[in-house]
Amino acid sequence: MNDRTLRITVARSGGVAGITPSWSITASEEPEVDSWLSLVASCPWDAPGPEADANGADRFVYSIRVLLPTAASGTGVDDGADGGHPPSASEAPDAARARERDARVPETALQGPWRELVDRVKQASAR
Amino acid sequence: MRRHIVPPYLLARIARADAFGMERAAEAARRSLLADPPLREERVRAGKATAAGGHSRAVSAAPVDRRVERTIFDAGNTEKLPGREVRTEGAAASGDVAVDEAYEGLGATHALLLEAFGRASVDGAGLPLLATVHYGTHYDNAFWDGQRMVFGDGDGEVFGRFTASLSVIGHELAHGVTQFTAGLAYEGQSGALNESFSDVMGALVEQFHARQTADAASWLIGAGLFTSAVQGRALRSMLEPGTAYDDDVLGRDPQPADMAGYVDTADDNGGVHLNSGIPNRAFALAARAIGGFAWERAGQVWYDAITGELSPTADFAGFAAATTASARARFGDDSPEVGAVAAAWRTVGVTAS
């Protein structure tokens, strides 16, 4: 994976079946990367995690992880102290420069840009 | 008017019961006696009996409607709830298989609650039963939203429609029973117990409907949901967790069968659909050891525990203690039922506490 490769993974857990499918995309061409990144940037990564409905059961939970290309600065995606994992010294140089964001979004909160991001990753992954 | 379902004399009796090895029930009864009215209001809900007082049925002042009242809605493949009303109680079959399966499944679940446990609907007070079918597009799930059951049609490749399994319909409605009784928090071990009780009731609805004994039952949850393309029998096996499916696309059924395989994960609210395999197997083993119809004894013991003074954050060890205590209360200290329940928890590696 080169410096300019963006990777987004969506993993779904929960549901009455308890089956955990996942979908992922990679993009390395500039217009495509930028298009994904603007969608990523529009998601409320820093919003406090919404409380799942205390009385609901068997709803899906989505884990969304974005591995950002290192040259992504200036795209409006900030460093975000909460979702990012500081790279460890033992990782490869490329990985050490990459940045990662992740969020766990209950199905009941999967609206707006979160929904758009998940649906787009599912569709692109199926192709 | 507030109704006290557990009579004060019974609470007082249970509160003194420490000497008889019912510490947890005693503690819960004392808490209930001492609790401030608002807290009591929250804890004492319609239909509650006590774990230790299973013989004494709750007597309520107001008449309870014991008739089933079902309404089925059609979301028309959108995610808008409740959807359009398509079948009300007593109406003829609609001809839409999902609508009619939901209607029949609600009826079968209501019948189990009423006839096996004397409970009028999920809240014990005749709550109308609501279901929405045709939710979303290619939606691979059925869920309880706190008020109603909701069923997807499935994607057609892995899953067909979710109303096709009576155990899944019973599972969803049982989340309502838990919500109105123990209120088990949907996270970690209490969440896995919440899931497991739904599987227990789902299995019992099927067995009750078919008048099937514990020996003859499949103990499968969600048989018939997979399309023929999937290598699998069902979503879960209560008797043999981890063996329900093994498929190229889905992978292998990940449920553990005992505490040695307990899964620590942040996904799925802390693995509630995985670790439920452990208490599921305890129930199936106890029911088969006791023999006969599972709802009559093992089911009654589990029902007594859930509708008793169980903590909303109970863990497996606490639930093992609660079921052992309810088996003692209902069948006597030296009964085969107590022995079977205790042995089942030992087999899955849970030590009652």
Side-chain angles (χ1 to χ4, degrees):
Chain A
M1 192 183 284
N2 68 41
D3 280 354
R4 291 289 295 146
T5 301
L6 168 76
R7 185 176 186 89
I8 307 177
T9 302
V10 171
R12 193 184 74 194
S13 67
V16 67
I19 283 168
T20 54
S22 66
W23 300 266
S24 63
I25 62 97
T26 54
S28 47
E29 299 300 321
E30 197 153 331
E32 200 190 354
V33 169
D34 289 348
S35 161
W36 282 109
L37 285 179
S38 72
L39 181 52
V40 165
S42 70
C43 291
W45 295 91
D46 298 322
E51 290 289 313
D53 185 343
N55 286 331
D58 293 329
R59 301 306 301 262
F60 290 137
V61 182
Y62 289 88
S63 284
I64 302 164
R65 174 161 295 187
V66 178
L67 191 64
L68 298 162
T70 50
S73 55
T75 57
V77 181
D78 64 32
D79 278 298
D82 59 335
H85 294 285
S88 76
S90 62
E91 284 177 303
D94 278 356
R97 289 200 305 273
R99 287 176 299 136
E100 203 175 304
R101 306 212 66 166
D102 51 56
R104 200 177 296 280
V105 183
E107 183 181 15
T108 47
L110 195 75
Q111 291 153 3
W114 282 134
R115 177 69 186 246
E116 198 182 329
L117 178 62
V118 166
D119 284 351
R120 247 181 89 180
V121 170
K122 281 187 190 175
Q123 280 161 19
S125 170
R127 278 202 291 269
Chain B
M1 191 191 78
R2 195 163 95 230
R3 282 179 279 127
H4 291 262
I5 299 304
V6 182
Y9 74 87
L10 194 53
L11 285 178
R13 188 163 67 83
I14 300 159
R16 289 192 303 268
D18 304 50
F20 306 102
M22 294 187 290
E23 288 84 359
R24 289 184 69 90
E27 188 201 351
R30 272 195 300 273
R31 273 203 313 269
S32 189
L33 279 172
L34 294 173
D36 295 328
L39 193 65
R40 225 182 126 81
E41 179 76 43
E42 193 178 83
R43 281 290 299 160
V44 179
R45 302 180 189 104
K48 285 196 79 137
T50 101
H55 286 302
S56 307
R57 280 262 175 249
V59 179
S60 59
V64 168
D65 194 341
R66 295 162 71 86
R67 291 168 303 184
V68 63
E69 191 190 331
R70 295 162 282 188
T71 311
I72 314 297
F73 299 81
D74 183 344
N77 295 115
T78 70
E79 294 183 13
K80 292 193 182 76
L81 291 173
R84 185 170 57 91
E85 187 179 293
V86 287
R87 190 173 175 190
T88 54
E89 186 60 43
S94 71
D96 177 324
V97 66
V99 170
D100 295 330
E101 282 172 342
Y103 184 90
E104 294 303 324
L106 294 184
T109 308
H110 189 277
L112 171 77
L113 292 173
L114 187 63
E115 293 164 35
F117 305 122
R119 184 179 190 84
S121 191
V122 298
D123 67 342
L127 188 77
L129 301 177
L130 308 175
T132 294
V133 299
H134 302 309
Y135 177 83
T137 48
H138 303 299
Y139 189 75
D140 274 342
N141 199 19
F143 63 87
W144 168 257
D145 83 341
Q147 295 169 351
R148 63 175 55 244
M149 291 177 293
V150 181
F151 298 91
D153 292 334
D155 57 75
E157 290 172 14
V158 173
F159 288 108
R161 63 182 191 281
F162 277 73
T163 50
S165 165
L166 182 54
S167 55
V168 165
I169 297 177
H171 174 108
E172 297 311 329
L173 257 190
H175 280 306
V177 175
T178 300
Q179 176 181 317
F180 282 100
T181 56
L184 286 164
Y186 204 64
E187 181 75 40
Q189 289 200 10
S190 60
L193 290 169
N194 189 324
E195 270 304 306
S196 176
F197 184 68
S198 273
D199 279 353
V200 165
M201 297 301 281
L204 291 182
V205 170
E206 279 189 2
Q207 293 171 27
F208 186 76
H209 190 68
R211 295 297 190 271
Q212 197 173 40
T213 62
D215 267 351
S218 70
W219 296 101
L220 296 174
I221 301 299
L225 292 192
F226 287 137
T227 65
S228 56
V230 175
Q231 299 289 312
R233 298 180 287 164
L235 302 179
R236 291 183 278 281
S237 165
M238 296 183 68
L239 196 58
E240 300 170 303
T243 68
Y245 58 87
D246 190 354
D247 179 78
D248 292 345
V249 174
L250 294 181
R252 193 177 183 152
D253 174 4
Q255 279 210 312
D258 56 37
M259 285 304 283
Y262 187 88
V263 182
D264 272 308
T265 173
D267 288 336
D268 184 27
N269 300 98
V272 297
H273 291 90
L274 299 179
N275 293 317
S276 58
I278 298 165
N280 274 0
R281 181 163 168 241
F283 181 80
L285 290 174
R288 280 167 60 104
I290 292 167
F293 293 129
W295 61 88
E296 288 182 347
R297 290 180 285 172
Q300 186 70 58
V301 164
W302 253 243
Y303 176 82
D304 288 348
I306 284 286
T307 54
E309 292 296 329
L310 188 69
S311 162
T313 55
D315 59 9
F316 289 0
F319 190 67
T323 50
T324 310
S326 58
R328 281 203 185 94
R330 196 168 272 280
F331 299 107
D333 284 353
D334 301 321
S335 62
E337 289 83 358
V338 171
V341 169
W345 286 113
R346 275 197 304 276
T347 301
V348 301
V350 173
T351 307
S353 71

